[in-house]
Amino acid sequence: MTDETYQQGLEGPPPEERPTPAGRRNKQGIRIDPEVEATHEPRRTVISALVKHEPGVLAEASGLFSRRQFNIESLTVGPTKNDDRARITVVVEEPDPGIDQIKKQLRKLLPVISVRELEPDAMRRELALVKVDAHDPAAVNAVADMYDAKTVDSSPETATFEITGARQKINAAVETFSQFGIREISRTGLTALARGTDETAAAPSTDDAASTADKANQQQTQQYTQTTTDD
Amino acid sequence: MSERAAKITPTDDDEQADDQITDSAAPDAATETEAEADSESTPKPVTNGAESVIRALENAGVEYAFGVQGGAIMPVYDALYDSDITHITMAHEQGASHAADAYGIVAGKPGICLATSGPGATNLVTGLADADMDSDPMVALTGQVATDFVGNDAFQETDTTGVTTPVTKDNTFSTDPDRVGTDVSEAFALASEGRPGPTLVDLPKDITKSDTEVEPDAPKTPDTYEVQEEADPEIVAAAAERIENADRPALLLGGGVIKAEASDVCREFAIEHEIPVITTMPGLGSFPEDHELSMEMAGMHGTGYANMAITHCDTLIGIGTRFDDRLTGGIETFAPDAELIHIDIDPAEISKNIHADYPLIGDAATVVEQLQAAVDSSPQATKWRAQCQQWKSDYSMAYDAPEDRPVQPEFVVEALDEATSDNAIVTTGVGQHQMWACQYWTYTEPRTWVSSHGLGTMGYGLPAAIGARVAADDDQEVICIDGDGSFLMTLQGLSVAVRENLDITVAVLNNEYIGMVRQWQDAFFDGRHSASDYGWMPEFDKLAEAFGAQGYRIDEYDDVADTIQEAIAYDGPSVIDVHIDPQANVYPMVPSGGDNGQFALTEDQL
C-alpha cells in the first residue's frame, strides 16, 4: 500500500494460467452428472421421534430446528404408553438431503431415543377447534355434519366444533365454515403413527443411525412418494 | 501425557500445595502417587452434593481444573479444598474455558473448568462454543442459584443450560444431591466418547450443599448414546476398490484423525500406498509436513499446492473432517472431479456439506485399518505424484525478507520453529498471525497445534498456552504465537502464568492492526480501515514486566534469533513484542466462497 516498490505476495503462475477441472457440484455438494442432473425439490414429510420424557427436550429439539434453519410446519409432543417416553411428531418441508440431515441431527440429541421418517401411508391426524357465528344454527349444523365435526360448545351467537382428520379435511372444513364467519380457530398440528405392525419409533438397534445414513447416501437418487396428498 | 511442568504449583494453600512449592524440583509423580495412596487408604465418605461432584472428578482421574470462584459455586470449591485435584485460578472465566479446552487437546482427555452462576457461566460460553466447533473434550461445571430461586431472576442467575444448549454436546441441570455426582461422571464420559465435545453440568447451590452419602457412579455414557466403531464392510470394500483404481488419489486428514489417535495408521496407509496427504487446519500435525507426500494445509489460506491437489484429485479420502467452508471454498468448485470417501464417527457429518459417495461411519483408526486390510494394490499414480511435486515447486511458500523492510512475520515463525524441538506445542489467537503459524511452522506430531479453528476466537492463544503447558510434558516447549489485537483480548491471563510460573513464550506479531480485517478491507473495501487501525497498542514487553513476566522487543532482523533464544531459555512466562511489517499480508488466499484452485498469490489476483 504505502511502499509502491515493494511487491507483496508469492511467486507462481497466476489463476488464469492454471488448469481447472471441468466438473461441478450442486448446492448440496453432490457432483453434477450432466446426463442425469438430480435436482432436489423440497417435499413435505413427517418425522417421528421417541424421546425421554424430561424437561427441556422440546426446547432442545425445537432449538435444533430453528438454529439450523430447517423449515418446520408443525411440531407436536405428547406422552406415550411408557411414562418415561414422549413422542415428538414434526412435519417438515425440505429437500431430501435436508430431511436426511434433520434425522441425523435429531438423533444426535442425547434425550432422543429413536428417529424415523414415516411412510406416506402412515396415519396422520390433526385436531381443530373452530368457533363460528351461529345465527343460522341449521346451516351451521349441516356443514358440521358434512365434516363429522362435533359440537363442543354453543351459545345463542356462536357454536364451537371439534374436527379431527387429515390436514386437507380440516382445511376444507374451515373454508366451508368461513361462510358463517369464523371467530377463532385453534389447531393442534399433526400427530402420526405408522400403519399395522410397523413400529413408528422403535428402540434403537445398534446400527440404526448408521444404516439410515448409509442408505440415504447410497440411494441419493431414490424417489420418495410425494406426501402432499394425505389419506 | 500425565506429567506436566514441575513449576506449576497449586493455589490452595494447604499442606500438599506447600510441599510442592518448596520442593518444586522433586518430580510430581512421587507426590501424586503418595497422595493417591493416602486417599486410597483413608477414603473419606461423601457427605454432601459438592463432595460427590469432586469425587466424580477424582474417580475419572482428573488432575487439574481451571476456574474462578464465586457465590453459587462456593460449596464445590469448598469440597475441592480437600481434594488432590490441582485447581488453577484463572483471571477470567473465558480463560478457564480456553485453558480447559487446550488441556483437552494436548492431553487427549477432557479438560475441566469451573465457574459460578450468572456472569461466571456466561463468560464460559465463548470457550464452550469454541470447544463445540472443534469437537474438543471438555467438562464445564457451573454454579447455579438455589432451586427455590431458579426462574425468579435471582442475583447472578442465568438460564445456563438454556444459554449453552446450542454450544455444548450435552448439558444437565442437576436437581438431586444423590444424583449430582453421577451427573458429573456422565458428563465426563460423554465429553470424550464418540465425537468429543464440551459438556456442562449446572449445579444449584442447594443441591451441592445438601447432605448425601451417595457415591457417584463410575463415568459411563447414558444408554441412549451409541457410537458405531466399525464401518459397513460392504462400503469399505467398495471404497477400497475405488482407491485401487484411482488415478489421482489424495488423503484429507482432519482434526478427527488426531482426536481418534489415528495419525499412525493414516501415516502407514499414506506411505504404503504413496498417496499425497492434505490436511485441514485442525488436522495439522496428523502427518509430518516434512514428508515428501505432505501437501500441507488446504483451504482459504492453505498452500497453493494443497489447493491444487484437492481441486484436481479424482478420489478424496476425507478422514475426521467436516468440510468447513474455510476448507471447501465454494461448494460447486470443491474437488469437483473427486469421488469422496468420507470417514467420520458422527453420521450427521456425512453428506452435510459435501456429498459422500462412500460413507464410512466409525472410529477413524478402526476404519482406516479396515480400509488398509481391504486395499489389495496401491493406486497407479506416479504421474499424479509427479504433478503434486511440480505444484510444490510452482507455488512454493518462499517469501521475500528484504533487509530494508520491517521484519516479515514469516521469518519470525520460522525462527521460532527452528529454535524449538519437533514436539513443541504452538498455540495461537485468531487472525493473520494464526495463518502464518499454520503456513510457516513445520508440524510433524499430533497434539502440538492448539488453535481456535471453527469458531475463530480472538484471544484464544494465551489461555490456551496455559492449558497446554499444564498438560504438556516437561521437555515440550509451549509457544504462543499471537497477534496484537488477539493478545489484548485475554492478556490478563499473564497474571496466572506468572503466579504459576508457567514456562511459556508468547510471541506477539504486532502490526498495530486487526491485520486480517485490514487485509480484507484493502482487498474488498477500497482500503477503508474502519476500526481496524490499532495504533494505540500498549508496549507489550513493558506490560509483561508489569505482570511480572519477562518482556522482550524485536524491531530488526538482527534481534530475531537471539531474542527468541533468550525468551525460550527463560524459565517462566515471557512475552516478545515483535514489531512486524504492518503491511504484511497472508497469501495464498482463496476469497470467501471462491474456487480453491483459483487462490490469489498477490493482492492484484484477488
Side-chain angles (χ1 to χ4, degrees):
Chain A
M1 292 292 102
T2 51
D3 192 344
E4 294 294 328
T5 58
Y6 182 64
Q7 177 64 42
Q8 294 212 319
L10 298 164
E11 299 288 319
E16 61 274 14
E17 287 173 23
R18 295 174 208 153
T20 46
R24 283 291 178 270
R25 291 180 186 270
N26 68 11
K27 268 191 280 182
Q28 278 94 29
I30 302 167
R31 283 189 305 141
I32 298 169
D33 182 349
E35 305 260 313
V36 278
E37 189 166 329
T39 52
H40 295 274
E41 295 303 319
R43 64 185 175 91
R44 233 178 124 253
T45 192
V46 182
I47 293 170
S48 183
L50 194 64
V51 303
K52 280 192 184 173
H53 198 178
E54 60 186 27
V57 180
L58 186 61
E60 232 181 295
S62 58
L64 171 82
F65 285 98
S66 74
R67 75 175 184 272
R68 292 196 180 266
Q69 299 283 295
F70 293 131
N71 188 10
I72 185 174
E73 280 204 5
S74 87
L75 189 152
T76 62
V77 62
T80 63
K81 62 172 182 178
N82 182 340
D83 286 346
D84 301 333
R85 303 276 183 265
R87 184 182 308 285
I88 293 178
T89 308
V90 54
V91 183
V92 291
E93 193 165 352
E94 282 284 327
D96 278 330
I99 290 170
D100 193 38
Q101 193 56 217
I102 288 172
K103 290 189 276 186
K104 290 194 256 185
Q105 292 291 346
L106 260 181
R107 188 69 193 83
K108 268 175 85 168
L109 299 179
L110 257 293
V112 172
I113 295 155
S114 71
V115 177
R116 81 168 266 199
E117 183 182 348
L118 292 182
E119 304 293 330
D121 73 345
M123 292 163 297
R124 307 134 185 252
R125 290 293 181 271
E126 189 177 336
L127 183 148
L129 291 174
V130 185
K131 190 190 285 180
V132 298
D133 283 326
H135 302 300
D136 185 354
V140 170
N141 279 327
V143 171
D145 282 347
M146 261 163 62
Y147 291 100
D148 283 334
K150 221 162 85 184
T151 314
V152 287
D153 178 53
S154 67
S155 73
E157 281 161 48
T158 67
T160 305
F161 298 100
E162 170 196 318
I163 313 161
T164 56
R167 211 169 81 116
Q168 282 71 12
K169 175 183 160 187
I170 294 174
N171 286 347
V174 168
E175 204 175 307
T176 318
F177 272 124
S178 65
Q179 59 183 299
F180 307 112
I182 293 174
R183 291 198 170 205
E184 283 179 307
I185 295 178
S186 177
R187 291 173 71 156
T188 60
L190 197 119
T191 190
L193 277 183
R195 277 193 189 276
T197 52
D198 196 4
E199 239 184 307
T200 305
S205 63
T206 41
D207 56 358
D208 189 30
S211 62
T212 317
D214 287 353
K215 275 180 205 144
N217 281 294
Q218 283 191 306
Q219 304 165 2
Q220 197 66 50
T221 50
Q222 174 195 341
Q223 290 301 303
Y224 291 85
T225 319
Q226 282 296 317
T227 54
T228 39
T229 52
D230 216 330
D231 49 331
Chain B
M1 294 271 176
S2 61
E3 290 303 315
R4 46 120 200 176
K7 299 109 206 166
I8 299 159
T9 51
T11 50
D12 292 343
D13 54 348
D14 57 359
E15 282 176 26
Q16 176 71 31
D18 282 339
D19 282 347
Q20 283 188 324
I21 289 166
T22 50
D23 193 12
S24 62
D28 275 10
T31 349
E32 272 161 21
T33 31
E34 240 172 69
E36 267 167 33
D38 263 314
S39 60
E40 266 166 39
S41 56
T42 52
K44 276 173 285 182
V46 163
T47 65
N48 64 24
E51 284 174 15
S52 180
V53 167
I54 297 302
R55 180 62 51 86
L57 295 180
E58 289 168 346
N59 289 350
V62 171
E63 294 169 87
Y64 301 97
F66 305 86
V68 180
Q69 256 282 21
I73 196 77
M74 275 170 70
V76 178
Y77 270 90
D78 188 62
L80 194 59
Y81 195 75
D82 294 326
S83 168
D84 292 331
I85 294 171
T86 303
H87 178 263
I88 296 172
T89 300
M90 299 298 288
H92 187 287
E93 288 89 352
Q94 184 187 352
S97 57
H98 292 325
D101 179 16
Y103 180 93
I105 294 169
V106 174
K109 58 185 182 183
I112 311 292
C113 60
L114 295 115
T116 193
S117 63
T122 56
N123 280 347
L124 290 181
V125 171
T126 305
L128 287 166
D130 196 294
D132 193 48
M133 287 289 261
D134 293 348
S135 307
D136 297 328
M138 173 170 142
V139 179
L141 303 178
T142 50
Q144 184 54 278
V145 300
T147 42
D148 285 355
F149 293 99
V150 167
N152 295 351
D153 302 331
F155 177 65
Q156 290 195 331
E157 184 193 352
T158 297
D159 172 13
T160 303
T161 50
V163 167
T164 58
T165 293
V167 296
T168 49
K169 182 173 172 181
D170 188 48
N171 63 24
T172 310
F173 181 85
S174 275
T175 51
D176 180 358
D178 292 344
R179 160 88 209 167
V180 67
T182 300
D183 286 342
V184 173
S185 292
E186 223 167 63
F188 189 91
L190 264 174
S192 47
E193 184 86 357
R195 179 183 185 167
T199 58
L200 180 143
V201 188
D202 203 24
L203 305 165
K205 197 171 184 178
D206 57 327
I207 303 296
T208 48
K209 274 175 79 178
S210 289
D211 293 345
T212 180
E213 288 170 8
V214 179
E215 292 279 340
D217 293 346
K220 184 181 164 298
T221 56
D223 294 342
T224 60
Y225 188 76
E226 284 165 4
V227 180
Q228 187 183 339
E229 296 287 331
E230 269 186 40
D232 184 331
E234 270 178 45
I235 309 176
V236 170
E241 199 185 326
R242 173 71 209 178
I243 294 169
E244 288 164 8
N245 295 320
D247 294 321
R248 305 189 302 278
L251 270 161
L252 175 67
L253 305 186
V257 170
I258 294 169
K259 288 175 209 315
E261 302 288 358
S263 299
D264 287 346
V265 286
C266 288
R267 288 172 189 211
E268 278 167 33
F269 187 79
I271 292 166
E272 182 180 339
H273 300 295
E274 294 185 273
I275 301 172
V277 180
I278 302 157
T279 69
T280 68
M281 182 161 74
L284 289 177
S286 56
F287 192 80
E289 292 191 316
D290 50 7
H291 193 281
E292 195 191 1
L293 286 169
S294 173
M295 304 300 285
E296 299 168 44
M297 181 180 91
M300 182 174 275
H301 291 296
T303 62
Y305 34 99
N307 279 333
M308 287 304 274
I310 209 164
T311 304
H312 290 270
C313 64
D314 73 348
T315 305
L316 185 63
I317 309 157
I319 308 175
T321 170
R322 61 190 176 84
F323 295 98
D324 177 80
D325 58 277
R326 293 286 136 135
L327 170 78
T328 60
I331 298 293
E332 310 84 48
T333 50
F334 179 75
D337 287 346
E339 289 203 9
L340 175 64
I341 298 165
H342 191 182
I343 301 174
D344 207 290
I345 198 150
D346 181 358
E349 283 309 329
I350 304 289
S351 297
K352 188 181 80 179
N353 296 334
I354 301 292
H355 172 70
D357 302 287
Y358 303 87
L360 298 174
I361 297 160
D363 169 69
T366 312
V367 179
V368 173
E369 275 166 10
Q370 280 181 281
L371 257 188
Q372 178 72 296
V375 174
D376 294 325
S377 60
S378 299
Q380 298 299 307
T382 319
K383 227 175 119 190
W384 165 244
R385 282 190 297 272
Q387 174 67 73
C388 287
Q389 294 307 321
Q390 182 60 42
W391 282 328
K392 272 172 126 171
S393 71
D394 286 353
Y395 304 104
S396 69
M397 294 298 284
Y399 57 92
D400 278 335
E403 277 295 323
D404 58 339
R405 297 281 309 173
V407 175
Q408 297 300 309
E410 299 92 334
F411 185 86
V412 181
V413 173
E414 286 188 340
L416 283 161
D417 190 10
E418 274 164 36
T420 50
S421 56
D422 273 358
N423 65 354
I425 294 171
V426 179
T427 78
T428 72
V430 167
Q432 285 184 317
H433 67 276
Q434 180 190 28
M435 294 301 120
W436 289 314
C438 290
Q439 294 174 336
Y440 291 94
W441 187 289
T442 305
Y443 298 91
T444 55
E445 296 303 323
R447 302 194 187 280
T448 58
W449 165 245
V450 180
S451 192
S452 171
H453 310 107
L455 196 67
T457 309
M458 286 179 68
Y460 180 83
L462 177 63
I466 292 171
R469 175 74 273 168
V470 172
D473 292 341
D474 282 358
D475 62 350
Q476 277 182 294
E477 300 98 341
V478 175
I479 311 291
C480 170
I481 298 175
D482 221 333
D484 47 333
S486 215
F487 186 53
L488 197 65
M489 286 195 173
T490 53
L491 56 71
Q492 72 275 50
L494 266 182
S495 63
V496 179
V498 170
R499 189 193 68 228
E500 305 283 340
N501 194 30
L502 300 177
D503 190 8
I504 56 181
T505 306
V506 183
V508 183
L509 302 185
N510 187 349
N511 57 6
E512 299 197 347
Y513 278 114
I514 292 289
M516 192 59 93
V517 170
R518 200 261 303 131
Q519 178 170 344
W520 284 47
Q521 286 170 333
D522 285 341
F524 310 118
F525 291 88
D526 302 325
R528 288 150 55 90
H529 293 172
S530 180
S532 63
D533 189 333
Y534 272 38
W536 42 274
M537 279 290 110
E539 292 182 68
F540 290 116
D541 49 334
K542 291 184 181 163
L543 195 59
E545 279 162 14
F547 275 103
Q550 197 74 8
Y552 302 92
R553 181 182 168 116
I554 293 177
D555 286 294
E556 291 170 9
Y557 280 108
D558 288 346
D559 304 337
V560 173
D562 291 348
T563 309
I564 284 175
Q565 279 298 349
E566 215 180 310
I568 290 172
Y570 178 73
D571 185 14
S574 55
V575 176
I576 318 171
D577 190 0
V578 192
H579 288 258
I580 59 160
D581 183 352
Q583 304 305 328
N585 279 344
V586 184
Y587 292 106
M589 175 177 182
V590 180
S592 192
D595 178 343
N596 278 346
Q598 300 291 299
F599 52 86
L601 295 163
T602 60
E603 186 174 333
D604 53 23
Q605 290 176 355
L606 279 170

